[in-house]
Amino acid sequence: MQNVNLQVKGMSCGHCVNSIESTLKNLGATAKVDLASHSVAVQYDDAKLTLGAIKDAIEDQGYDVV
């Protein structure tokens, strides 16, 4: 399992939290959004999922991964 913390711009509310966490859950990752620090802690199996796919999924929701 891999753990990564991503800085994500554009998150501001509970809907943002739910959107990102549910999207990554559907990919097979576990995510915890922290609005205060604009970060997303992600745990995923790198044999099944790539970091690029995770970033793309977040960006597809309208947020910017920096």
Side-chain angles (χ1 to χ4, degrees):
M1 294 296 272
Q2 294 290 323
N3 293 302
V4 64
N5 286 312
L6 302 172
Q7 292 299 306
V8 180
K9 290 185 180 179
M11 302 184 301
S12 62
C13 64
H15 172 74
C16 300
V17 172
N18 291 336
S19 177
I20 291 173
E21 289 181 354
S22 65
T23 295
L24 295 183
K25 182 178 180 180
N26 289 338
L27 288 178
T30 302
K32 180 67 176 155
V33 174
D34 183 343
L35 288 177
S37 65
H38 302 285
S39 66
V40 180
V42 184
Q43 183 178 44
Y44 66 100
D45 183 348
D46 60 344
K48 298 178 182 178
L49 189 59
T50 66
L51 183 56
I54 291 169
K55 289 179 179 179
D56 288 345
I58 293 171
E59 291 177 347
D60 286 348
Q61 295 298 309
Y63 307 102
D64 294 319
V65 180
V66 294

